[in-house]
Amino acid sequence: MSFSDLVIRPRRLRRTATIRKMVRETTLSVDDFIYPIFVDETIDSPREVASMPGVSRIPLAMVGEVVQKVAALGIPGIILFGIPAEKDAVGSGGWDDQGIVQKAIRAAKAASPETCVIADTCFCEYTDHGHCGVLHGEDVDNDETLANLQKEAVSYAEAGVDIVAPSGMMDGMISAIREGLDEAGFKNIPIISYAVKYASGYFGPFRDAADSTPAFGDRATYQMDPANRREALKEAWLDVEEGADMLMVKPGLAYMDIIREVKDATNLPMAVYNVSGEYAMVKAAAEKGWIDEKRVVLETMLSFKRAGADLILSYHALDVARWLNEDKG
């Protein structure tokens, strides 16, 4: 028997591009993506976010145009973040019928009725202190914030939103919002929960984009410790029991293990947020010529899918859609 008779040859299935495609275990589709949009009530023209090249805050008047552009690329959904002209201690702009997100929801649905419009449901953009709820001293009052989250979610539903996405990591937020929506007659509005959201350094550029940097301290008393894995499963299962329709892990890149564990432990669709710091690092390295941006972005998105994500929220979504459409065409 020769040496070659003993060799197992996995390379046979890598020999041609066609064979590799035929046996590929994970694939990317434009249908996998949700594009974040920042709508700023205080501006009349786009304002680029310096730490996120290619991403801008847009005025309300541009929402329809941007949503139509997203839809034309085949991306099925957007998630809206609002920057209001006025802020207060409790974030009351979040449940104002004429608030910036409510107006943006109406504009988006008018421009592209088939686009799935998701509203981030939190208060950090609306409070004058930048924290995610009502403060008592320097502590966010969980239960007072729940009452306000109910009002915010109902207001978004009344404006025509398709899905609400609570992101503040308040205990009991899913059951409170589900109760509020159901009592207001919105039993069919789904909730995608930021169930597993870590207190992460990767969020830095987002806070420039959404004008939501805390005036003091950080969010470690309500967002999760990056060291904790079992706690992620606890948080996910609590939200399943409270009535979440989908779950999210945020950030994504440093938490691939968590995406897989939550996916395996639950039976709900799984989203991952490819956050601002992850985006900014790729953009900076690509600008320096250190990496092939297209190759790295597509590899990263594929990694999220391989880890278990069904949906990917990403600032790269427009580029990814163009690349995937070009490859198909």
Side-chain angles (χ1 to χ4, degrees), residues 292-324:
D292 178 332
E293 180 177 354
K294 176 181 176 181
R295 183 173 180 179
V296 167
V297 169
L298 291 176
E299 184 176 343
T300 302
M301 300 304 122
L302 195 65
S303 304
F304 292 140
K305 289 290 299 293
R306 192 184 63 243
D310 300 296
L311 298 168
I312 303 168
L313 291 75
S314 179
Y315 307 101
H316 293 292
L318 300 184
D319 285 335
V320 172
R322 291 189 193 100
W323 295 329
L324 293 177

Side-chain angles (χ1 to χ4, degrees), residues 131 133-142 216 221-222:
H131 281 280
V134 179
L135 286 183
H136 285 172
E138 294 192 355
D139 182 59
V140 175
D141 188 293
N142 192 92
F216 61 87
T221 63
Y222 42 103

Side-chain angles (χ1 to χ4, degrees), residues 103-114:
K103 290 179 179 178
I105 291 166
R106 297 184 192 106
K109 294 304 291 184
S112 181
E114 297 304 312

Side-chain angles (χ1 to χ4, degrees), residues 115-146:
T115 294
C116 180
V117 177
I118 305 166
D120 180 79
T121 306
C122 192
F123 293 109
C124 56
E125 298 104 314
Y126 295 102
T127 56
D128 53 16
H129 47 74
H131 281 280
C132 298
V134 179
L135 286 183
H136 285 172
E138 294 192 355
D139 182 59
V140 175
D141 188 293
N142 192 92
D143 294 1
E144 283 190 44
T145 301
L146 293 184

Side-chain angles (χ1 to χ4, degrees), residues 30-82:
V30 175
D31 293 335
D32 299 330
F33 288 89
I34 296 166
Y35 183 60
I37 298 176
F38 299 98
V39 188
D40 188 339
E41 195 171 27
T42 70
I43 60 177
D44 297 316
S45 58
R47 183 175 300 171
E48 186 168 67
V49 180
S51 54
M52 299 175 68
V55 173
S56 296
R57 297 185 190 181
I58 63 168
L60 179 64
M62 284 188 63
V63 168
E65 174 188 340
V66 172
V67 173
Q68 287 176 339
K69 178 181 177 182
V70 171
L73 288 167
I75 298 169
I78 61 167
I79 184 165
L80 293 170
F81 298 89

Side-chain angles (χ1 to χ4, degrees), residues 63-317:
V63 168
E65 174 188 340
V66 172
V67 173
Q68 287 176 339
K69 178 181 177 182
V70 171
L73 288 167
I75 298 169
I78 61 167
I79 184 165
L80 293 170
F81 298 89
I83 298 94
E86 297 182 3
K87 305 186 179 196
D88 61 29
V90 298
S92 62
W95 63 86
D96 182 350
D97 180 60
Q98 294 303 311
I100 184 60
V101 169
Q102 287 82 348
K103 290 179 179 178
I105 291 166
R106 297 184 192 106
K109 294 304 291 184
S112 181
E114 297 304 312
T115 294
C116 180
V117 177
I118 305 166
D120 180 79
T121 306
C122 192
F123 293 109
C124 56
E125 298 104 314
Y126 295 102
T127 56
D128 53 16
H129 47 74
H131 281 280
C132 298
V134 179
L135 286 183
H136 285 172
E138 294 192 355
D139 182 59
V140 175
D141 188 293
N142 192 92
D143 294 1
E144 283 190 44
T145 301
L146 293 184
N148 290 343
L149 281 169
Q150 287 182 318
K151 293 186 284 189
E152 184 177 39
V154 169
S155 181
Y156 291 161
E158 289 172 342
V161 83
D162 294 298
I163 300 175
V164 295
S167 61
M169 290 296 288
M170 296 295 113
D171 295 340
M173 67 182 182
I174 301 305
S175 58
I177 290 171
R178 185 73 273 158
E179 178 184 352
L181 288 170
D182 289 357
E183 289 182 355
F186 295 106
K187 296 181 186 296
N188 292 324
I189 296 294
I191 300 172
I192 179 169
S193 174
Y194 289 69
V196 181
K197 183 177 180 181
Y198 286 90
S200 173
Y202 285 96
F203 297 156
F206 173 91
R207 292 170 184 170
D208 294 337
D211 192 22
S212 61
T213 302
F216 61 87
D218 56 28
R219 297 184 176 126
T221 63
Y222 42 103
Q223 294 176 357
M224 285 178 54
D225 184 337
N228 292 355
R229 177 184 62 82
R230 289 178 298 173
E231 186 184 15
L233 299 178
K234 177 181 179 179
E235 288 281 5
W237 269 114
L238 284 170
D239 285 1
V240 171
E241 292 170 359
E242 290 179 23
D245 299 284
M246 293 182 271
L247 302 175
M248 190 190 305
V249 172
K250 179 180 181 181
L253 202 56
Y255 298 90
M256 295 286 193
D257 58 325
I258 304 300
I259 298 168
R260 171 48 59 191
E261 293 221 29
V262 174
K263 175 73 169 187
D264 288 347
T266 64
N267 60 358
L268 295 183
M270 170 65 60
V272 61
Y273 204 132
N274 174 216
V275 299
S276 58
E278 298 164 5
Y279 173 89
M281 290 191 301
V282 170
K283 284 292 187 179
E287 184 179 345
K288 293 285 190 180
W290 294 341
I291 61 171
D292 178 332
E293 180 177 354
K294 176 181 176 181
R295 183 173 180 179
V296 167
V297 169
L298 291 176
E299 184 176 343
T300 302
M301 300 304 122
L302 195 65
S303 304
F304 292 140
K305 289 290 299 293
R306 192 184 63 243
D310 300 296
L311 298 168
I312 303 168
L313 291 75
S314 179
Y315 307 101
H316 293 292

